[in-house]
Amino acid sequence: AEYLPEITKDSVCPVDAKEELLDECESIWKQMEECQSKLMLLGTETLLKSDAKLSLLMMRVKALTAEYNQWQKRSPELISTNPDVLLALGKEELQKVKNDLEMVLSTVQSKNKQLEEDLKREQQWHEEQEQILDTLNGIEEETKTQVEQLSKKRAFHELQSKMLKLKIYKEELLNALGEFLEEHFPLPEKGGSAKKKNSSEEPAVELITLHEILEILINKSMTTPHEPYVTINDSFWPPYIELLLRYGIALRHPEDPNRIRLEAFHV
């Protein structure tokens, strides 16, 4: 509104100009009344002759068409040629335009203010959504970490449980194997000893059971798989060694017959 010039009170037209303008308006108004009277008389005569609504409407159409053509042919005329009157009218029109522009400006400013408030609310909502998204991402990462840890712990416990079951199963198998071997493959002598050849006075060597021989071979194969051979000594009863070799349970060293190893059944 500050860009629009103010219309001062000096814009009021002089008294003579007002009277002149009023006289011209009264003269034009009289002419319009005369034309209206002629049209009314013309319409009345036509109505009396035809007495038909359609004819009346047609006459009105013709009258309006003639008036329209007449206005099309006429060029705009100034109501008054008095400079004071024209200046006053121009200032009045400018004041109307100024008022309209002020209203438009006020409306636009109000709309802009509303849009700014909406923008602030949208920005605040956007920031809140970003904070919520960051929080959810943090919770998701924390949950993933917890799930991974729980998964690892679960896998570790499952592995421990399987190892314990395997250990128990291994002990059961070894116990069953020991009982079977003790029952069907006892030591050759009741005392469990054998004298060395060519030396009857030396102390006897304690023989080990077939079960113990198999345990030695199994432990050697598991602890040092790259060197699984065991050296045969006097505590190994030869028939047991021959039994293991004959049935493919043990193999001799290709270069040293006094060393044997367990057959690699797991390969």
Side-chain angles (χ1 to χ4, degrees):
E2 61 270 20
Y3 299 105
L4 298 175
E6 288 290 338
I7 305 300
T8 61
K9 294 182 178 180
D10 297 338
S11 60
V12 180
C13 58
V15 178
D16 295 338
K18 283 185 177 181
E19 292 180 355
E20 181 179 352
L21 183 60
L22 290 174
D23 293 339
E24 291 183 1
C25 290
E26 289 181 358
S27 175
I28 295 172
W29 182 254
K30 289 180 179 180
Q31 293 178 5
M32 290 179 64
E33 287 181 347
E34 291 177 358
C35 293
Q36 184 69 25
S37 299
K38 291 180 180 180
L39 289 174
M40 291 295 292
L41 292 174
L42 182 61
T44 302
E45 294 175 357
T46 307
L47 181 62
L48 292 174
K49 292 180 180 179
S50 61
D51 197 17
K53 191 175 182 178
L54 180 61
S55 298
L56 179 60
L57 293 175
M58 291 298 296
M59 291 300 295
R60 288 183 179 179
V61 170
K62 289 181 180 180
L64 292 174
T65 303
E67 186 177 358
Y68 169 76
N69 294 330
Q70 195 68 23
W71 279 107
Q72 287 290 328
K73 293 177 182 180
R74 291 182 61 181
S75 59
E77 296 180 0
L78 294 176
I79 298 177
S80 175
T81 57
N82 191 330
D84 295 333
V85 175
L86 296 177
L87 179 61
L89 292 175
K91 287 183 177 182
E92 185 178 354
E93 289 297 325
L94 287 175
Q95 184 66 39
K96 291 180 180 179
V97 173
K98 175 178 175 292
N99 294 336
D100 294 340
L101 291 176
E102 286 177 349
M103 292 179 60
V104 172
L105 180 60
S106 177
T107 304
V108 172
Q109 288 176 344
S110 176
K111 187 66 175 178
N112 288 340
K113 185 177 180 181
Q114 183 67 31
L115 291 175
E116 288 178 356
E117 293 177 355
D118 294 342
L119 179 60
K120 288 181 180 179
R121 285 196 298 269
E122 292 295 331
Q123 289 176 345
Q124 183 178 0
W125 178 83
H126 180 67
E127 292 176 356
E128 292 175 355
Q129 294 301 314
E130 285 185 344
Q131 292 177 358
I132 294 173
L133 182 60
D134 293 338
T135 304
L136 291 177
N137 289 333
I139 295 173
E140 182 182 6
E141 292 296 330
E142 184 178 355
T143 304
K144 285 183 179 179
T145 304
Q146 293 178 356
V147 169
E148 290 177 357
Q149 292 177 354
L150 290 175
S151 179
K152 290 179 180 179
K153 289 182 180 179
R154 188 181 295 110
F156 178 72
H157 290 317
E158 290 178 356
L159 183 60
Q160 281 186 330
S161 178
K162 289 180 180 180
M163 290 178 63
L164 181 61
K165 290 180 181 178
L166 288 175
K167 186 176 180 180
I168 295 173
Y169 183 63
K170 175 187 174 183
E171 291 177 355
E172 291 177 353
L173 287 178
L174 291 176
N175 292 333
L177 178 61
E179 293 175 359
F180 176 81
L181 293 177
E182 287 177 2
E183 180 181 356
H184 297 283
F185 298 94
L187 289 173
E189 295 181 4
K190 186 176 180 181
S193 62
K195 294 183 179 180
K196 289 185 177 181
K197 297 178 181 179
N198 304 326
S199 180
S200 58
E201 296 180 356
E202 294 179 0
V205 178
E206 187 75 22
L207 294 176
I208 60 177
T209 62
L210 181 59
H211 184 199
E212 292 173 336
I213 295 174
L214 288 173
E215 282 187 354
I216 293 172
L217 292 173
I218 292 172
N219 292 332
K220 185 66 175 177
S221 177
M222 296 297 295
T223 55
T224 57
H226 58 283
E227 185 60 35
Y229 289 93
V230 176
T231 302
I232 300 173
N233 54 37
D234 294 338
S235 62
F236 289 73
W237 192 39
Y240 285 163
I241 302 301
E242 293 298 328
L243 177 66
L244 295 175
L245 294 173
R246 179 177 298 179
Y247 289 101
I249 300 174
L251 298 175
R252 288 189 185 275
H253 193 281
E255 298 178 358
D256 187 359
N258 292 324
R259 300 176 66 190
I260 62 173
R261 71 173 176 85
L262 187 69
E263 174 64 57
F265 296 103
H266 60 283
V267 179

